[in-house]
Amino acid sequence: MKKVGVAILGLGVVGGGTYEILTKNREFYQKTQNVDISVECVLELNRERALKLGVPEEKIMSNIAEVICNPDVNIVVEVIGGIDAAREFVLAALNAGKTVVTSNKELFCKYSHELERAAKRQNAGLYFEASCVGGVPIIRTLLDGLQANHITSMMGIINGTTNFILTKMSNEGISYEEALKEAQALGYAESNPVADVEGFDAAYKLSILSSLAFHTKVPFSKVFREGITGVTREMIADGKELGYCLKLLAIGKQTDAGIEVRVHPTFVRTGHPLAAVNDSFNAVYLTGDAVGEVMLYGRGAGALPTGSAIVSDVIYAATHSEIRYSTFKNTANAEKDVRFPSDFSSAYYLRIKVSDKTGVLAKIAALFAKYNISIVEMLQKGEGETASVTLITHETRELAIRNAVSKINALEVASVESVLRVVS
Amino acid sequence: MKKVGVAILGLGVVGGGTYEILTKNREFYQKTQNVDISVECVLELNRERALKLGVPEEKIMSNIAEVICNPDVNIVVEVIGGIDAAREFVLAALNAGKTVVTSNKELFCKYSHELERAAKRQNAGLYFEASCVGGVPIIRTLLDGLQANHITSMMGIINGTTNFILTKMSNEGISYEEALKEAQALGYAESNPVADVEGFDAAYKLSILSSLAFHTKVPFSKVFREGITGVTREMIADGKELGYCLKLLAIGKQTDAGIEVRVHPTFVRTGHPLAAVNDSFNAVYLTGDAVGEVMLYGRGAGALPTGSAIVSDVIYAATHSEIRYSTFKNTANAEKDVRFPSDFSSAYYLRIKVSDKTGVLAKIAALFAKYNISIVEMLQKGEGETASVTLITHETRELAIRNAVSKINALEVASVESVLRVVS
C-alpha cells in the first residue's frame, strides 16, 4: 500500500479539524482509498494546543526548516492563514518539491501565479479546494465534474458570516448592528468583521472560482464589491413584501461584453434555490451550456467541513499521478484581450422618499422613461409628507440606474433611499 | 496534444446530445483540457437520424465489430439503454481494451461486477457518471470530492418524472392520473410509466449511489420500494396543511444495524432544502462525518445535461492516467457480513377515518401507547359520521407502525386510509 506523509502548518480551527480527521480515519482510508496517510509532523508554536489535540510531543515542530527537510513528508497542508508567513512557508515547501494543500483564499487569490510557477518548476502538486466554500467540493466540480461545459454564469452565497447576519435580520426583524453582535457572540463573526461584512472574503473566493470557471485569470482588483453594512431593516421588510430575500451574492458571468464579477447585497426571489440558503450555509448556483442549472450547497466554514476539503485534496493528491498545479493561465494579471466591463445589466429595487406633491411621480416616471427603465412592480407606502415608493425594474443597465438615481436626487421633491440589484 | 477517439453507441436522445457537445466543443477542450477529442464513429441503425445530426456518412456504423476493431477508437460511449445489446456491446468493448463510458443505470446496477471484471482484466476504464442524476456530478463528488468522509446518510430526489408529477399535483391540486397524462404529453413520462412511477428507476440509482457511498455492494434486491401510484390529492392537501411537501425520496443510511436503502413517497418539511426541489429537477442531500450536510441540485435527465456527464467522463478518462474500474467490492451480491435490516425508524404521517362514536380516539391512543408511538401533531377534520384524523408521529419503528395500523383497522370503528414516512 502506498504510504503518504503529511505535515500540517498551523493547528488553529481548521488545522485541528484536519488533524482530527486524518488520525481518526487513517484505517478507513487504508481500506477505501488503498493509501496509508500518516501525519508526520505539525508546525505549531503553541505546544499546549498541539498536545491537547493529541499530537505526540516529538511531532510538534517550531521551525519550518524541520518540516521541509523531513523526507517522510510528501504533502504540506497550509492552514495558517494570512499572507506573510503562509506565502513564505508554501513557497519553501514547493521549492523543496513537496505537494501543497492550502485553505488560504487570500494567498491563493493574490499569489496563485507565483505559487503555480514554483509548483511547476519542481513538479509538485498545488491544491486549494478548501480555499472556497469550505466542505462543498466546488473546485473539484469545476475542474473534474462540469469541465465539459462552457460555464456562462455563477451566483454564490459564499460567505457564511454575512448570510448568518442577513438571515437573523430577516427572521427576527433586528438591525444590522444587533445581528452582527449576535454573530460575534456565537463566533460566526470576528471582532473586526470588515473582511466578511465588506465582501472582501467573498471577493477573494469569487476571483478564484471565476478564474476556474472562465479559464482565465480574474484578478481580485476586477471584482466590483459592495458589503452589507448599509443594509437596513426597511430594505429587508420591503423585500419580503415584494417576495424577495436579501443575500450577499457573488456573481460571475461570461457575456459577449466580457467577464462580469461582482459582490453585492441582492434581492433573490423567494422560490429560487438560493433564497432557501439560510444561516451560515453556503451555495453556488452555476449555469453551463450543456448541464443547464446546477447548485452545490453545504457548510462554507468550520473545522470539520473545511477539514473535509483539505483531506479530500490530500487523498486526491495521493491517489492521482497527474500533478495538478496550473489551473488557469499562470499570471498575476488578466490577459490583455479579456474585458471586464464596468457596466452590466440587472433588475433593480429602488426605495424613493417622495414629497406628497402633485406631479412628483410623473417626474420620476419621466426620468425612468428617459433612461429606458421600465417598472415591473410599484408599491406606495405612507401618506402625507413622508410617503415612500418602492419599485422593482425590468432588466436594465447599471449605468442607466445610476444616472436616473442622481437625477431623481436632484429633483428636491424626491430622494432615493436605497438601490439593490435583484435576481428573479 | 493527446488525441482521443470516441465511438458513440446509439444516437437516441442522450447519444445525440453527446454527439452535439463533443463536436461543438472540440476546440474548447483542446484549449482548456489540452486534449483533442474526436468522434471517430457512431453505431446507429437509423442512418437518417445520424445524418440529420450531422454525422458524416462514412462514420455511421451498423455493426459493433466495426467499432471495436477501429484502432482510432479509445473510448466507447454506450447510450443504447436496456440490457441485452448494451451488455454485449460493453463487454465486447472492454474485452478489446477500450475504455467504456455508460449512462445505463439498469445495466450498471445489475452487472457492474461482470463489467468491472472485464475492465480490470484488460486494464480498461469504466465510467458511469451519467447513470445517476443526469448532469449533476454526484458520482465524481462521492469518489473524488467527499472521499474524506464516512457518509452516514443520503436522501435524494433522483427521478425527474415522479417529481414533475408530484409538483404538478401539489401546485394545481389535480389527481395523480391527470398529472401523469400531462407528464406523458410533455415527454417527461413514457407511455408505459412503470419504471418511473413504481420507483424502479430511482431504486437502480440508489443501489449504485449507496454502493459508492457505503463502500460495499448494495444489490437492487435489497432496496425497499414503494411508488407514487397510490398518492392522492388528499394526502398532498393534508401535507400542505401540516407544513410538508410530498416527494419520492430515495434514502440510504448506514447505521449500527446495517445499511438501510428505500425508495418511497415521503413528506419533507417545508424549509428543508429538498422541499424546494421542484418540477423535473433532481437533488441529492448527503451527510458526512466531517463535511456535515451537502446538497447537489440540477437536471437529472435530458439530452444535454446527461451528455454533460458523459463528456465529463470522457475528458476525465482522457486526462487521468489512473484507470478507474473497481469502485466497490467486485461482486454481484452483498458481502456476507453486511446487514440490510427490514425494520428502520422514521417519523410517520397517518390519515385515519373514524366513526364519530365516543371512545374511538381513546382506543386509537391506547394502541399508539402500546406500540410506543408518540404523536407530534394531530388534526381532526369533518364531523358526523365521516370524520378523519391526520397525525404526525415522533420518530418510531416501521414495524411498530405496521402493527398499530393493522390493529387500528381491526377496530371496526376506524380505518387507516394512508401512511407516509416523514422527514423533518
Side-chain angles (χ1 to χ4, degrees):
Chain A
M1 191 181 305
K2 186 173 177 182
K3 278 177 172 298
V4 170
V6 172
I8 303 176
L9 311 185
L11 282 186
V13 173
V14 175
T18 303
Y19 183 80
E20 182 186 330
I21 296 169
L22 280 173
T23 45
K24 199 188 74 179
N25 285 348
R26 183 168 175 180
E27 231 179 283
F28 176 61
Y29 303 143
Q30 291 173 355
K31 257 199 292 195
T32 59
Q33 306 292 332
N34 198 31
V35 61
D36 181 27
I37 303 171
S38 61
V39 178
E40 290 297 319
C41 61
V42 303
L43 181 73
E44 174 58 59
L45 297 179
N46 185 336
R47 294 179 76 81
E48 285 312 307
R49 185 189 288 164
L51 290 168
K52 222 169 151 188
L53 282 164
V55 184
E57 190 138 21
E58 69 279 10
K59 293 195 172 179
I60 308 171
M61 308 291 144
S62 52
N63 184 325
I64 185 71
E66 295 173 284
V67 176
I68 303 295
C69 297
N70 186 334
D72 295 332
V73 170
N74 309 103
I75 298 176
V76 173
V77 171
E78 184 274 304
V79 278
I80 303 170
I83 294 285
D84 298 346
R87 181 178 167 207
E88 182 197 327
F89 295 172
V90 166
L91 283 171
L94 291 171
N95 286 332
K98 313 284 188 195
T99 282
V100 167
V101 171
T102 178
S103 64
N104 197 326
K105 61 203 136 259
E106 191 182 351
L107 178 69
F108 196 80
C109 171
K110 293 184 178 165
Y111 296 99
S112 64
H113 57 292
E114 188 181 11
L115 308 184
E116 291 187 355
R117 258 202 318 267
K120 202 169 181 176
R121 217 164 32 223
Q122 298 293 333
N123 208 26
L126 177 57
Y127 296 84
F128 50 98
E129 178 67 69
S131 69
C132 296
V133 205
V136 178
I138 177 68
I139 289 177
R140 198 87 75 231
T141 296
L142 285 169
L143 293 176
D144 277 342
L146 299 177
Q147 79 280 48
N149 291 266
H150 288 271
I151 303 292
T152 51
S153 149
M154 175 158 61
M155 295 195 292
I157 295 171
I158 57 180
N159 178 273
T161 308
T162 47
N163 204 42
F164 179 85
I165 291 172
L166 294 174
T167 305
K168 272 270 159 194
M169 289 180 72
S170 175
N171 289 350
E172 299 173 17
I174 59 179
S175 71
Y176 166 73
E177 289 73 19
E178 291 169 298
L180 172 62
K181 258 187 209 148
E182 270 205 58
Q184 286 170 323
L186 290 165
Y188 284 124
E190 296 182 43
S191 55
N192 178 353
V194 169
D196 291 316
V197 299
E198 294 293 5
F200 288 97
D201 176 85
Y204 292 138
K205 293 171 187 164
L206 180 61
S207 155
I208 297 172
L209 293 176
S210 51
S211 297
L212 295 171
F214 306 136
H215 303 281
T216 190
K217 178 75 183 180
V218 177
F220 176 68
S221 62
K222 300 293 183 188
V223 180
F224 171 87
R225 186 182 45 74
E226 209 177 281
I228 65 161
T229 55
V231 171
T232 63
R233 267 186 261 233
E234 289 70 30
M235 288 179 192
I236 290 181
D238 279 356
K240 273 192 184 172
E241 209 165 339
L242 293 160
Y244 296 94
C245 296
L246 191 63
K247 300 290 180 191
L248 182 68
L249 284 199
I251 298 175
K253 285 189 182 173
Q254 187 150 45
T255 70
D256 292 339
I259 293 173
E260 249 175 71
V261 269
R262 43 196 171 98
V263 172
H264 50 63
T266 313
F267 274 138
V268 180
R269 186 176 285 283
T270 317
H272 189 290
L274 285 170
V277 178
N278 288 317
D279 304 317
S280 66
F281 276 97
N282 284 18
V284 180
Y285 189 89
L286 296 154
T287 310
D289 61 343
V291 76
E293 296 142 303
V294 168
M295 188 173 84
L296 277 75
Y297 165 99
R299 298 237 167 246
L304 294 178
T306 309
S308 166
I310 287 174
V311 177
S312 168
D313 272 353
V314 169
I315 296 173
Y316 193 99
T319 55
H320 287 76
S321 55
E322 275 69 31
I323 307 289
R324 178 162 269 167
Y325 38 74
S326 190
T327 43
F328 38 88
K329 292 278 167 54
N330 188 346
T331 164
N333 303 305
E335 289 171 74
K336 286 221 177 68
D337 56 343
V338 178
R339 282 167 301 162
F340 296 90
S342 59
D343 195 15
F344 52 84
S345 81
S346 175
Y348 289 82
Y349 148 95
L350 280 86
R351 184 195 177 92
I352 309 174
K353 209 169 144 185
V354 292
S355 306
D356 190 26
K357 290 185 185 154
T358 323
V360 176
L361 277 183
K363 279 183 188 164
I364 294 174
L367 276 170
F368 280 140
K370 184 180 165 193
Y371 290 105
N372 266 321
I373 298 164
S374 63
I375 308 298
V376 180
E377 211 173 342
M378 199 163 93
L379 212 80
Q380 179 153 0
K381 273 198 252 178
E383 279 173 60
E385 289 179 19
T386 59
S388 78
V389 172
T390 58
L391 54 87
I392 302 282
T393 74
H394 278 288
E395 190 101 339
T396 182
R397 309 295 304 172
E398 172 84 9
L399 294 183
I401 287 286
R402 289 191 199 168
N403 285 329
V405 166
S406 77
K407 288 281 162 61
I408 292 170
N409 284 335
L411 284 182
E412 286 187 6
V413 289
S415 71
V416 176
E417 293 186 313
S418 40
V419 181
L420 288 169
R421 294 151 200 101
V422 174
V423 167
S424 287
Chain B
M1 190 181 304
K2 187 173 177 183
K3 280 178 170 297
V4 171
V6 172
I8 303 175
L9 311 186
L11 283 187
V13 173
V14 175
T18 303
Y19 183 79
E20 182 186 329
I21 297 170
L22 280 173
T23 45
K24 198 188 74 179
N25 285 348
R26 183 167 174 181
E27 232 178 284
F28 176 63
Y29 302 144
Q30 290 172 357
K31 259 200 292 196
T32 58
Q33 306 293 332
N34 198 30
V35 60
D36 181 27
I37 303 171
S38 62
V39 179
E40 291 296 319
C41 60
V42 303
L43 182 72
E44 175 58 60
L45 296 180
N46 185 336
R47 294 179 75 80
E48 283 313 307
R49 184 188 291 164
L51 290 168
K52 220 169 152 187
L53 281 164
V55 185
E57 190 139 21
E58 69 278 11
K59 293 195 171 182
I60 308 171
M61 308 290 144
S62 53
N63 186 324
I64 184 70
E66 295 173 285
V67 176
I68 302 296
C69 295
N70 186 334
D72 295 331
V73 170
N74 309 102
I75 298 177
V76 172
V77 171
E78 184 274 304
V79 278
I80 304 171
I83 293 286
D84 298 346
R87 180 177 167 208
E88 182 197 328
F89 294 172
V90 166
L91 283 171
L94 291 170
N95 286 333
K98 313 283 187 197
T99 282
V100 166
V101 172
T102 178
S103 63
N104 197 325
K105 58 202 138 261
E106 190 182 352
L107 177 70
F108 197 80
C109 170
K110 293 183 177 165
Y111 295 99
S112 63
H113 57 291
E114 188 182 12
L115 307 185
E116 291 187 356
R117 257 203 318 268
K120 201 169 183 177
R121 216 164 33 224
Q122 298 293 332
N123 207 26
L126 178 58
Y127 296 84
F128 50 99
E129 178 66 72
S131 69
C132 296
V133 204
V136 177
I138 178 68
I139 289 176
R140 198 87 76 230
T141 296
L142 286 169
L143 293 176
D144 276 343
L146 298 177
Q147 79 279 48
N149 291 265
H150 289 271
I151 303 292
T152 51
S153 149
M154 176 159 60
M155 296 196 291
I157 295 171
I158 56 179
N159 177 272
T161 308
T162 47
N163 205 40
F164 178 86
I165 291 172
L166 294 174
T167 305
K168 272 270 159 197
M169 288 179 72
S170 176
N171 289 349
E172 299 173 18
I174 58 178
S175 71
Y176 167 74
E177 287 74 18
E178 289 168 300
L180 172 62
K181 257 186 211 151
E182 269 204 58
Q184 286 171 323
L186 289 165
Y188 284 124
E190 297 182 42
S191 55
N192 178 353
V194 169
D196 290 315
V197 300
E198 294 292 6
F200 287 97
D201 175 84
Y204 292 139
K205 295 171 185 165
L206 179 62
S207 156
I208 296 172
L209 293 176
S210 53
S211 297
L212 295 171
F214 306 137
H215 302 281
T216 189
K217 178 75 184 181
V218 176
F220 176 70
S221 62
K222 300 293 182 187
V223 180
F224 172 87
R225 187 182 44 73
E226 209 178 283
I228 64 161
T229 53
V231 171
T232 63
R233 266 187 261 235
E234 288 72 28
M235 288 179 191
I236 289 182
D238 279 356
K240 274 192 183 172
E241 209 164 341
L242 294 158
Y244 296 94
C245 295
L246 191 62
K247 300 289 180 191
L248 182 69
L249 284 198
I251 298 175
K253 286 189 182 172
Q254 186 149 47
T255 70
D256 292 339
I259 293 174
E260 251 177 69
V261 268
R262 42 197 171 97
V263 172
H264 49 63
T266 314
F267 273 138
V268 180
R269 184 177 286 281
T270 316
H272 190 291
L274 285 171
V277 178
N278 290 317
D279 304 317
S280 66
F281 276 96
N282 283 17
V284 181
Y285 189 88
L286 296 154
T287 308
D289 61 344
V291 77
E293 295 143 306
V294 168
M295 186 172 85
L296 278 75
Y297 165 99
R299 298 235 168 248
L304 294 178
T306 309
S308 167
I310 287 173
V311 177
S312 168
D313 271 353
V314 169
I315 295 173
Y316 193 99
T319 57
H320 287 76
S321 55
E322 274 69 32
I323 307 290
R324 179 160 267 169
Y325 37 75
S326 189
T327 43
F328 37 86
K329 291 280 169 49
N330 188 346
T331 164
N333 303 305
E335 288 171 76
K336 284 219 178 69
D337 56 343
V338 178
R339 281 167 304 160
F340 297 91
S342 59
D343 196 13
F344 53 84
S345 81
S346 176
Y348 290 81
Y349 148 94
L350 281 89
R351 184 192 176 93
I352 310 173
K353 207 166 145 187
V354 293
S355 306
D356 189 27
K357 290 185 184 157
T358 322
V360 176
L361 277 183
K363 279 183 186 163
I364 294 174
L367 275 170
F368 280 139
K370 185 180 165 192
Y371 289 105
N372 267 319
I373 298 165
S374 63
I375 309 298
V376 180
E377 210 173 340
M378 198 162 94
L379 212 82
Q380 180 155 357
K381 274 198 254 182
E383 279 173 58
E385 289 180 16
T386 59
S388 79
V389 172
T390 59
L391 54 87
I392 303 281
T393 74
H394 279 288
E395 192 100 336
T396 182
R397 310 295 305 172
E398 171 87 8
L399 293 183
I401 287 286
R402 289 191 198 167
N403 284 329
V405 165
S406 78
K407 288 282 162 60
I408 291 169
N409 284 334
L411 282 182
E412 287 186 5
V413 288
S415 70
V416 176
E417 293 185 313
S418 41
V419 180
L420 287 170
R421 292 148 202 103
V422 174
V423 167
S424 287

